[in-house]
Amino acid sequence: MERIAITANGPGEIAGWVRPLLTRLFEAQPALEVHLFLVPDDYATGREAQTVAGWFPQVHVYEGKATLRALLGAGGGVPAKMDFVQYLGGDLMHAARLARRSGAAAATYKFSRPAYRELFVRAFAIDLRNVEELAKARVHRDRIVLTGNLAIDGALMEAELPAPSTAPRDGILILPGSRRYEVEQGIPFFFTVAAAIKRVRSDVEIAFGISPFTPMEDVRQAIAGGGHPRVYAMPGRFMVEGGQAYLTDRAETVRFAVLRNALPAAKQARMVITMPGTKTIELAALGKAMLAVTPLNVAEMLAINGPLTYLNRLPVIGERLKRAVVVAAARRFTYFTQPNMDAGRALIAELRGTLTPGRVATVALERFDDRAWLEDSAQALRSLYVEHAGAARRMARGILECAA
């Protein structure tokens, strides 16, 4: 029986990459021994290990100090020998270190560096552009395998689950995100957006899709806190009635269901309002029209890649410097969502910058009522990733071949 190790990091990679791959690996070999190492990540929620254990109780999951001990070869219950190491997120050095320590062959997905030219026996590519990116990173061309985007399979699998009865049928589903900033600031912000929509269109059904990585207690605290003053949001209440969670204003004049099964609910909705991230790829696979919103109102709170993410911790000038860096970086990008980047045009409507809930509500309703845009966007998004379906099965087959 093969023993496979996987390194991964935040919620997007765990849900979009790890989950569909593990599903296909265990489908092919139910007795497979899998060890998942959660590596340090500024975007992690802290609930990744618990969530994976709920999905796949047979997987050995390591985080924090346990992962560090494994990388340093300090034991801690981690097997000394692995048959194969697969990179699925985080810094490449963690997968490289684990492979060298355990004497295992290794493969990467989407990313590589010249230093690992000989280490990775296979490099799974998302698309043709990624094939060329891997080749520029000096991966041997005969080791690059065009596999597809795992997130597409993840979306298609999850969407097959039953939609909750409180899904917003022909309405709007709001996905505020799972990162700490998105929960603390996004939930009150989008709650205020939803309330503004309801004031002018009481007939529109609205619900919130909350990530499985976000504890409901965090949702309760976020809505009660009302967000940073520059988010221009209003506080509300988290309540549970008949086993169903809701967000309400303090007078209970509006009420929005809180759902865990976001993608089955999205299939029922006419449109989705979301933060940019892996979910935009998953929703694109379902052919769902979207408005992607990136508020930069408190840009100094955003996590960004690299050491500059800690700029705001500097005394006196730190927050100003961090805000300037984030805003300057945002201006360099034509699009914030991966589907728009891949298509080279705006299939998803995007809003960014210092935003008010009223402005977002107005744009959302304009898009919601634009039937031509909804249909064109849905069709173009659905066709964008159709060839990626089956990526998880192709990758699982490749891993098992290499590990045998």
Side-chain angles (χ1 to χ4, degrees):
M1 178 180 66
E2 287 83 7
R3 177 181 291 152
I4 292 175
I6 296 173
T7 61
N9 52 344
E13 289 78 9
I14 296 297
W17 292 357
V18 174
R19 187 181 188 183
L21 178 61
L22 287 180
T23 298
R24 296 309 185 202
L25 281 171
F26 287 125
E27 184 182 87
Q29 287 197 21
L32 188 68
E33 184 180 333
V34 176
H35 296 259
L36 175 64
F37 296 89
L38 300 173
V39 301
D41 183 72
D42 289 327
Y43 302 115
T45 66
R47 283 178 57 87
E48 285 76 13
Q50 179 181 342
T51 303
V52 172
W55 291 336
F56 305 100
Q58 70 272 49
V59 172
H60 305 271
V61 185
Y62 309 88
E63 59 180 338
K65 292 181 180 178
T67 293
L68 182 60
R69 285 196 298 270
L71 295 174
L72 296 176
V78 179
K81 175 69 176 175
M82 296 287 174
D83 295 307
F84 197 73
V85 174
Q86 176 63 55
Y87 166 85
L88 277 185
D91 196 305
L92 287 159
M93 71 176 180
H94 298 115
R97 173 73 182 177
L98 187 60
R100 288 165 177 157
R101 183 197 69 76
S102 61
T108 187
Y109 180 55
K110 189 178 179 181
F111 302 106
S112 191
R113 288 201 289 266
Y116 304 131
R117 175 178 171 83
E118 302 304 329
L119 174 70
F120 292 129
V121 298
R122 190 162 296 186
F124 298 103
I126 284 181
D127 52 26
L128 290 173
R129 180 171 59 187
N130 188 214
V131 168
E132 295 307 314
E133 290 169 346
L134 289 167
K136 286 181 181 178
R138 299 196 64 204
V139 176
H140 294 278
R141 279 196 177 267
D142 61 354
R143 299 182 184 183
I144 301 173
V145 178
L146 179 58
T147 305
N149 195 326
L150 292 170
I152 304 307
D153 279 1
L156 297 175
M157 291 177 193
E158 185 180 340
E160 290 304 312
L161 297 172
S165 60
T166 47
R169 300 183 186 280
D170 198 36
I172 297 174
L173 180 69
I174 297 177
L175 306 178
S178 60
R179 295 169 181 169
R180 182 175 303 170
Y181 166 83
E182 294 169 344
V183 172
E184 294 176 353
Q185 310 302 326
I187 287 177
F189 179 86
F190 287 112
F191 171 72
T192 310
V193 170
I197 292 173
K198 275 291 190 181
R199 279 197 296 270
V200 296
R201 291 285 295 277
S202 60
D203 60 308
V204 177
E205 291 188 20
I206 304 174
F208 280 71
I210 299 298
S211 166
F213 300 99
T214 304
M216 286 300 182
E217 180 56 31
D218 289 1
V219 177
R220 184 192 304 275
Q221 292 178 14
I223 192 65
H228 190 283
R230 293 204 308 273
V231 172
Y232 310 120
M234 66 179 184
R237 293 178 56 235
F238 176 91
M239 61 176 287
V240 178
E241 184 178 285
Q244 172 63 56
Y246 296 94
L247 299 180
T248 76
D249 60 357
R250 290 177 174 173
E252 295 190 27
T253 58
V254 293
R255 187 166 77 164
F256 309 109
V258 176
L259 313 173
R260 283 294 196 191
N261 294 342
L263 293 183
K267 288 174 66 177
Q268 305 289 328
R270 185 188 301 184
M271 189 181 83
V272 176
I273 301 174
T274 182
M275 290 278 212
T278 305
K279 271 290 180 280
T280 61
I281 301 173
E282 297 172 343
L283 291 163
L286 302 182
K288 189 56 55 178
M290 288 169 266
L291 170 62
V293 181
T294 309
L296 298 176
N297 302 36
V298 279
E300 65 273 16
M301 292 185 177
L302 290 168
I304 57 177
N305 294 327
L308 292 179
T309 195
Y310 305 112
L311 264 180
N312 55 309
R313 298 183 184 181
L314 294 175
V316 184
I317 63 171
E319 288 192 357
R320 283 187 194 171
L321 281 175
K322 173 78 173 289
R323 191 181 310 132
V325 167
V326 172
V327 172
R331 289 178 180 145
R332 292 169 41 213
F333 293 92
T334 304
Y335 302 116
F336 272 24
T337 60
Q338 192 63 49
N340 282 353
M341 295 178 192
D342 291 340
R345 60 192 183 101
L347 304 182
I348 298 171
E350 294 191 18
L351 280 176
R352 72 174 85 167
T354 300
L355 303 171
T356 64
R359 167 65 176 156
V360 175
T362 298
V363 174
L365 279 176
E366 289 172 355
R367 295 293 183 173
F368 184 79
D369 290 328
D370 189 342
R371 289 286 187 177
W373 175 78
L374 290 168
E375 292 175 8
D376 290 345
S377 176
Q379 182 177 353
L381 287 168
R382 187 180 293 110
S383 64
L384 187 61
Y385 297 117
V386 68
E387 294 181 356
H388 292 256
R393 183 172 280 112
R394 290 189 289 271
M395 189 168 176
R397 189 184 307 121
I399 289 173
L400 293 174
E401 288 173 357
C402 291

